[in-house]
Amino acid sequence: MSEFDWIRDEISNLPGVNYSFKEEWEAERYHVIDQLMAMRGTNKEGKPILTLKCNAEKSEQLRAENPAVVPGYYMNKRVWISVLLEDEQNKDLIRALIHHAYLEAKNKLPKYKQAELGTF
């Protein structure tokens, strides 16, 4: 069991989240219905990362304030961030970023699918 397995539980407990494993990337992927919200895997140095959907303004601010938050690995750098998990020890911050990513993905869904998920 990895020290970061709590992340899988945190994300999987959110309404409407689907899990898949992308073999060629060796990455866990999490979708809100059909909108990608997060991926957990490693970067090119083999370090564990959590890549999350994030609005552009928040993404820029987080990267400026926190060296453990970097542009999204292999993603659109404007609206995705990656958290270097070995460098970021604050679980509350990671939880808050997971919940932000969930809402960002949920808000990209059509209104009728958002309604199916209820409020969060």
Side-chain angles (χ1 to χ4, degrees):
M1 185 156 163
S2 154
E3 67 181 293
F4 305 115
D5 284 349
W6 67 270
I7 292 170
R8 179 183 306 133
D9 297 336
E10 186 73 29
I11 298 172
S12 297
N13 288 328
L14 296 167
V17 169
N18 301 306
Y19 167 86
S20 65
F21 188 78
K22 182 90 168 166
E23 196 75 40
E24 55 270 28
W25 299 347
E26 295 183 15
E28 299 176 355
R29 299 186 314 168
Y30 302 90
H31 294 80
V32 181
I33 302 181
D34 55 5
Q35 273 294 320
L36 184 63
M37 68 162 278
M39 284 195 313
R40 189 170 74 115
T42 57
N43 63 12
K44 66 181 179 240
E45 289 85 30
K47 303 276 187 191
I49 59 171
L50 176 64
T51 300
L52 298 161
K53 196 167 197 64
C54 186
N55 79 38
E57 296 78 31
K58 185 176 182 81
S59 169
E60 202 172 296
Q61 177 187 359
L62 286 163
R63 291 192 317 255
E65 295 172 355
N66 188 332
V69 177
V70 297
Y73 185 66
Y74 269 104
M75 302 297 273
N76 179 324
K77 310 294 187 227
R78 212 172 74 72
V79 292
W80 287 88
I81 57 171
S82 289
V83 179
L84 305 171
L85 293 173
E86 292 176 336
D87 297 345
E88 183 52 68
Q89 304 301 311
N90 184 342
K91 286 185 178 183
D92 289 336
L93 172 63
I94 295 171
R95 276 188 191 93
L97 294 174
I98 288 169
H99 292 178
H100 175 74
Y102 176 81
L103 291 173
E104 287 293 301
K106 179 182 173 185
N107 290 338
K108 296 284 185 206
L109 294 168
K111 297 288 182 211
Y112 75 94
K113 286 187 179 182
Q114 289 182 35
E116 291 171 12
L117 296 172
T119 58
F120 172 77

PDB file of all heavy atoms in Angstrom, residues 72-83:
ATOM      1  N   GLY A  72       0.671  21.421 -15.337  1.00  0.00           N
ATOM      2  CA  GLY A  72       0.177  20.056 -15.533  1.00  0.00           C
ATOM      3  C   GLY A  72       1.072  19.234 -16.437  1.00  0.00           C
ATOM      4  O   GLY A  72       1.353  19.637 -17.567  1.00  0.00           O
ATOM      5  N   TYR A  73       1.522  18.104 -15.948  1.00  0.00           N
ATOM      6  CA  TYR A  73       2.426  17.224 -16.678  1.00  0.00           C
ATOM      7  C   TYR A  73       1.707  16.614 -17.878  1.00  0.00           C
ATOM      8  O   TYR A  73       0.709  15.920 -17.716  1.00  0.00           O
ATOM      9  CB  TYR A  73       2.952  16.143 -15.727  1.00  0.00           C
ATOM     10  CG  TYR A  73       3.989  15.229 -16.317  1.00  0.00           C
ATOM     11  CD1 TYR A  73       5.234  15.723 -16.671  1.00  0.00           C
ATOM     12  CD2 TYR A  73       3.724  13.884 -16.507  1.00  0.00           C
ATOM     13  CE1 TYR A  73       6.198  14.894 -17.201  1.00  0.00           C
ATOM     14  CE2 TYR A  73       4.687  13.039 -17.038  1.00  0.00           C
ATOM     15  CZ  TYR A  73       5.919  13.553 -17.388  1.00  0.00           C
ATOM     16  OH  TYR A  73       6.879  12.729 -17.916  1.00  0.00           O
ATOM     17  N   TYR A  74       2.196  16.895 -19.061  1.00  0.00           N
ATOM     18  CA  TYR A  74       1.618  16.420 -20.327  1.00  0.00           C
ATOM     19  C   TYR A  74       0.169  16.855 -20.524  1.00  0.00           C
ATOM     20  O   TYR A  74      -0.613  16.173 -21.177  1.00  0.00           O
ATOM     21  CB  TYR A  74       1.713  14.886 -20.440  1.00  0.00           C
ATOM     22  CG  TYR A  74       2.973  14.440 -21.104  1.00  0.00           C
ATOM     23  CD1 TYR A  74       4.007  13.907 -20.367  1.00  0.00           C
ATOM     24  CD2 TYR A  74       3.142  14.578 -22.482  1.00  0.00           C
ATOM     25  CE1 TYR A  74       5.183  13.499 -20.973  1.00  0.00           C
ATOM     26  CE2 TYR A  74       4.317  14.173 -23.096  1.00  0.00           C
ATOM     27  CZ  TYR A  74       5.330  13.641 -22.337  1.00  0.00           C
ATOM     28  OH  TYR A  74       6.491  13.245 -22.943  1.00  0.00           O
ATOM     29  N   MET A  75      -0.202  17.985 -19.944  1.00  0.00           N
ATOM     30  CA  MET A  75      -1.564  18.490 -20.066  1.00  0.00           C
ATOM     31  C   MET A  75      -1.496  19.964 -20.468  1.00  0.00           C
ATOM     32  O   MET A  75      -0.429  20.556 -20.489  1.00  0.00           O
ATOM     33  CB  MET A  75      -2.313  18.352 -18.728  1.00  0.00           C
ATOM     34  CG  MET A  75      -2.396  16.934 -18.192  1.00  0.00           C
ATOM     35  SD  MET A  75      -3.315  15.824 -19.260  1.00  0.00           S
ATOM     36  CE  MET A  75      -4.966  16.099 -18.681  1.00  0.00           C
ATOM     37  N   ASN A  76      -2.661  20.570 -20.726  1.00  0.00           N
ATOM     38  CA  ASN A  76      -2.742  21.997 -21.013  1.00  0.00           C
ATOM     39  C   ASN A  76      -2.268  22.749 -19.768  1.00  0.00           C
ATOM     40  O   ASN A  76      -2.899  22.680 -18.715  1.00  0.00           O
ATOM     41  CB  ASN A  76      -4.187  22.362 -21.356  1.00  0.00           C
ATOM     42  CG  ASN A  76      -4.365  23.831 -21.637  1.00  0.00           C
ATOM     43  OD1 ASN A  76      -3.741  24.681 -21.024  1.00  0.00           O
ATOM     44  ND2 ASN A  76      -5.262  24.130 -22.557  1.00  0.00           N
ATOM     45  N   LYS A  77      -1.155  23.421 -19.874  1.00  0.00           N
ATOM     46  CA  LYS A  77      -0.505  24.069 -18.716  1.00  0.00           C
ATOM     47  C   LYS A  77      -1.344  25.194 -18.117  1.00  0.00           C
ATOM     48  O   LYS A  77      -1.118  25.604 -16.993  1.00  0.00           O
ATOM     49  CB  LYS A  77       0.871  24.625 -19.114  1.00  0.00           C
ATOM     50  CG  LYS A  77       1.762  23.662 -19.843  1.00  0.00           C
ATOM     51  CD  LYS A  77       2.180  22.502 -18.979  1.00  0.00           C
ATOM     52  CE  LYS A  77       3.209  21.638 -19.682  1.00  0.00           C
ATOM     53  NZ  LYS A  77       2.936  20.238 -19.614  1.00  0.00           N
ATOM     54  N   ARG A  78      -2.305  25.686 -18.865  1.00  0.00           N
ATOM     55  CA  ARG A  78      -3.134  26.797 -18.378  1.00  0.00           C
ATOM     56  C   ARG A  78      -4.192  26.325 -17.392  1.00  0.00           C
ATOM     57  O   ARG A  78      -4.480  27.013 -16.420  1.00  0.00           O
ATOM     58  CB  ARG A  78      -3.799  27.475 -19.583  1.00  0.00           C
ATOM     59  CG  ARG A  78      -4.039  28.948 -19.427  1.00  0.00           C
ATOM     60  CD  ARG A  78      -4.512  29.566 -20.733  1.00  0.00           C
ATOM     61  NE  ARG A  78      -5.895  29.245 -21.061  1.00  0.00           N
ATOM     62  CZ  ARG A  78      -6.954  29.756 -20.425  1.00  0.00           C
ATOM     63  NH1 ARG A  78      -6.785  30.595 -19.446  1.00  0.00           N
ATOM     64  NH2 ARG A  78      -8.174  29.430 -20.792  1.00  0.00           N
ATOM     65  N   VAL A  79      -4.769  25.160 -17.642  1.00  0.00           N
ATOM     66  CA  VAL A  79      -5.908  24.721 -16.822  1.00  0.00           C
ATOM     67  C   VAL A  79      -5.658  23.382 -16.121  1.00  0.00           C
ATOM     68  O   VAL A  79      -6.592  22.743 -15.643  1.00  0.00           O
ATOM     69  CB  VAL A  79      -7.208  24.652 -17.662  1.00  0.00           C
ATOM     70  CG1 VAL A  79      -7.647  26.049 -18.063  1.00  0.00           C
ATOM     71  CG2 VAL A  79      -7.052  23.760 -18.871  1.00  0.00           C
ATOM     72  N   TRP A  80      -4.399  22.968 -16.036  1.00  0.00           N
ATOM     73  CA  TRP A  80      -4.041  21.764 -15.290  1.00  0.00           C
ATOM     74  C   TRP A  80      -2.797  22.059 -14.458  1.00  0.00           C
ATOM     75  O   TRP A  80      -1.899  22.774 -14.904  1.00  0.00           O
ATOM     76  CB  TRP A  80      -3.731  20.594 -16.243  1.00  0.00           C
ATOM     77  CG  TRP A  80      -4.952  20.040 -16.895  1.00  0.00           C
ATOM     78  CD1 TRP A  80      -5.524  20.470 -18.066  1.00  0.00           C
ATOM     79  CD2 TRP A  80      -5.771  18.978 -16.425  1.00  0.00           C
ATOM     80  NE1 TRP A  80      -6.643  19.726 -18.344  1.00  0.00           N
ATOM     81  CE2 TRP A  80      -6.816  18.797 -17.349  1.00  0.00           C
ATOM     82  CE3 TRP A  80      -5.723  18.141 -15.314  1.00  0.00           C
ATOM     83  CZ2 TRP A  80      -7.801  17.835 -17.198  1.00  0.00           C
ATOM     84  CZ3 TRP A  80      -6.694  17.179 -15.157  1.00  0.00           C
ATOM     85  CH2 TRP A  80      -7.727  17.031 -16.086  1.00  0.00           C
ATOM     86  N   ILE A  81      -2.763  21.488 -13.263  1.00  0.00           N
ATOM     87  CA  ILE A  81      -1.581  21.581 -12.396  1.00  0.00           C
ATOM     88  C   ILE A  81      -1.167  20.168 -12.008  1.00  0.00           C
ATOM     89  O   ILE A  81      -1.982  19.252 -12.015  1.00  0.00           O
ATOM     90  CB  ILE A  81      -1.853  22.401 -11.115  1.00  0.00           C
ATOM     91  CG1 ILE A  81      -3.031  21.805 -10.327  1.00  0.00           C
ATOM     92  CG2 ILE A  81      -2.045  23.876 -11.438  1.00  0.00           C
ATOM     93  CD1 ILE A  81      -3.231  22.401  -8.948  1.00  0.00           C
ATOM     94  N   SER A  82       0.100  20.018 -11.678  1.00  0.00           N
ATOM     95  CA  SER A  82       0.579  18.767 -11.096  1.00  0.00           C
ATOM     96  C   SER A  82       1.160  19.087  -9.729  1.00  0.00           C
ATOM     97  O   SER A  82       1.887  20.070  -9.566  1.00  0.00           O
ATOM     98  CB  SER A  82       1.649  18.117 -11.976  1.00  0.00           C
ATOM     99  OG  SER A  82       1.082  17.597 -13.161  1.00  0.00           O
ATOM    100  N   VAL A  83       0.813  18.258  -8.751  1.00  0.00           N
ATOM    101  CA  VAL A  83       1.329  18.397  -7.394  1.00  0.00           C
ATOM    102  C   VAL A  83       2.414  17.344  -7.223  1.00  0.00           C
ATOM    103  O   VAL A  83       2.165  16.149  -7.444  1.00  0.00           O
ATOM    104  CB  VAL A  83       0.214  18.194  -6.343  1.00  0.00           C
ATOM    105  CG1 VAL A  83       0.778  18.324  -4.936  1.00  0.00           C
ATOM    106  CG2 VAL A  83      -0.930  19.179  -6.568  1.00  0.00           C
TER     107      VAL A  83
END
